């Protein structure tokens, strides 16, 4: 049987990918940011996951104002790397797991979550930067990836509670997949950041810390957190954090924290990262 063995969350700042791609990760600005991911890189080598269900948001790379799916799942055999303005990142093609993805799509849709099915998708920094942070710069990614794209760019994004419930539905789907697979679920985006307007550059460390704490201590509180609180306290792009609740919901009622990292500065964003495992 397939099983979800861990949840990982991380910011997905594009400049972090550019720092790696351009050989700048050892420079004084970047080194402490990357250092906080070393624990996880080592841990991933021991875990050897087969598949990562990677929850992220597209940043007007694959979608635009013509089509705005709230929840979409990548069912293709592979996913190309999006050109976000400077050419595609020099990272390997992302290999999918079409059989598992179609199974999750079927299970979630029959479970009353109306997923959009993507048979063609180019993935942007929201998906590739987390892969780089966890796996470095390999010739091939060591995992298959099932992308789950969430609209957090155009109002209205899904509620935190809806994200949590989708995570639970994804977990039910994985548990009913007959093949023996070690599956991780990752949530990306956040933490506090605002990229535009008078409050551009906003960072709220106490609020971010409590969010990290509450992933294990007060998940109920996170589920019911209204959108307006994300906007007010974590900035307009802080709303990306609802995607972490899909990851958290998939882990079940209890979760244990294995590692965390929080670092400022990282471009305009408070870099946050946590590794969780489901409570036994
Ligand atoms: C930044 C962060 C993001 O999450 C993003 O999608 C784009 C830019 C930043 O901090 O620069
Ligand atoms: Fe983003």
């Amino acid at each position: 049987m397939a099983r979800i063995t861990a949840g990982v969350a991380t910011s997905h700042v594009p400049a972090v990918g550019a720092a790696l791609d351009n050989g700048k990760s050892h420079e004084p600005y970047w080194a402490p940011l990357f250092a906080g991911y070393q624990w996880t890189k080592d841990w991933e080598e021991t875990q050897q996951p087969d598949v990562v269900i990677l929850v992220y948001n597209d940043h007007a790379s694959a979608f635009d104002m013509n089509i705005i799916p709230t929840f979409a799942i990548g069912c293709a055999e592979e996913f190309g790397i999006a050109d976000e303005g400077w050419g595609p990142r020099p990272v390997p093609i992302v290999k999918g797991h079409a059989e598992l993805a179609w199974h999750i799509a079927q299970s979630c849709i029959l479970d009353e979550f109306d997923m959009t099915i993507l048979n063609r998708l180019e993935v942007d920094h929201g998906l590739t930067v987390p892969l780089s942070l966890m796996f470095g710069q390999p010739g091939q990614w060591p995992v298959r990836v099932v992308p789950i794209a969430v609209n957090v760019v155009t109002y209205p994004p899904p509620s935190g509670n809806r994200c949590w419930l989708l995570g639970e539905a994804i977990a039910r789907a994985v548990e009913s997949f007959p093949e023996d697979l070690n599956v991780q679920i990752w949530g990306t985006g956040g933490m506090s950041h605002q990229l535009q307007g008078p409050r551009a550059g906003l960072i709220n460390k106490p609020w971010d810390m409590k969010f990290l704490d509450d992933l294990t201590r007060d998940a109920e509180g996170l589920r019911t957190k209204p959108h307006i609180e994300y906007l007010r306290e974590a900035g307009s792009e802080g709303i990306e954090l609802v995607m972490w609740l899909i990851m958290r919901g998939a882990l079940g009622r209890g979760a244990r924290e294995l590692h965390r990292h929080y670092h400022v500065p990282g471009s305009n964003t408070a870099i946050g990262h946590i590794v969780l495992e489901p409570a036994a």
Side-chain angles (χ1 to χ4, degrees):
M1 286 308 225
R3 63 208 189 287
I4 293 181
T5 56
V8 175
T10 181
S11 309
H12 60 214
V13 170
V16 168
L20 259 184
D21 300 342
N22 295 306
K24 292 175 184 283
S25 57
H26 297 291
E27 292 185 358
Y29 180 90
W30 294 108
L33 187 159
F34 284 100
Y37 289 87
Q38 192 57 49
W39 184 93
T40 314
K41 286 175 77 175
D42 296 341
W43 171 83
E44 287 288 9
E45 280 189 22
T46 69
Q47 296 296 301
Q48 301 267 321
D50 300 299
V51 184
V52 170
I53 298 171
L54 208 160
V55 181
Y56 81 111
N57 66 291
D58 178 77
H59 302 74
S61 305
F63 310 127
D64 58 23
M65 291 303 282
N66 287 310
I67 299 180
I68 307 171
T70 300
F71 296 121
I73 179 165
C75 294
E77 297 288 348
E78 60 182 38
F79 306 97
I81 309 301
D83 181 347
E84 300 184 61
W86 293 271
R89 286 191 63 212
V91 294
I93 288 275
V94 175
K95 300 275 188 196
H97 195 304
E99 224 183 313
L100 177 62
W102 276 102
H103 173 83
I104 293 172
Q106 169 178 307
S107 178
C108 286
I109 291 167
L110 298 181
D111 214 356
E112 303 181 348
F113 285 84
D114 309 316
M115 311 293 288
T116 296
I117 291 164
L118 306 171
N119 289 318
R120 187 172 169 185
L121 170 68
E122 290 192 342
V123 291
D124 74 8
H125 67 270
L127 186 140
T128 63
V129 167
L131 285 174
S132 298
L133 284 168
M134 267 27 107
F135 299 125
Q137 297 173 291
Q140 297 284 322
W141 297 120
V143 287
R144 305 236 166 202
V145 176
V146 175
I148 305 274
V150 181
N151 168 44
V152 292
V153 169
T154 305
Y155 185 83
S159 70
N161 189 50
R162 189 66 176 158
C163 287
W164 182 288
L165 292 169
L166 176 61
E168 290 183 342
I170 290 171
R172 285 192 290 274
V174 170
E175 280 157 24
S176 63
F177 190 68
E179 196 183 329
D180 246 338
L181 290 175
N182 177 357
V183 180
Q184 292 186 356
I185 183 162
W186 295 5
T188 77
M191 296 192 85
S192 54
H193 64 304
Q194 172 142 347
L195 300 178
Q196 22 70 42
R199 296 203 310 160
L202 176 145
I203 302 283
N204 187 342
K205 183 174 179 182
W207 190 90
D208 287 340
M209 284 298 158
K210 183 162 182 338
F211 192 95
L212 289 169
D213 290 342
D214 286 352
L215 286 166
T216 52
R217 293 187 202 154
D218 183 20
E220 280 306 310
L222 289 184
R223 261 175 106 143
T224 52
K225 198 179 278 307
H227 285 147
I228 193 71
E229 184 182 329
Y230 290 91
L231 296 179
R232 192 176 54 229
E233 301 295 333
S236 50
E237 279 67 48
I239 192 66
E240 289 182 340
L241 284 166
V242 294
M243 295 186 290
W244 292 29
L245 299 188
I246 298 178
M247 174 277 287
R248 180 61 192 83
L251 299 183
R253 289 188 80 79
R256 200 165 74 83
E257 178 175 335
L258 299 180
H259 174 67
R260 84 161 68 171
H261 174 47
Y262 186 85
H263 178 77
V264 177
S267 184
N268 293 301
T269 296
I271 303 293
H273 168 47
I274 197 162
V275 180
L276 303 173
E277 67 178 10

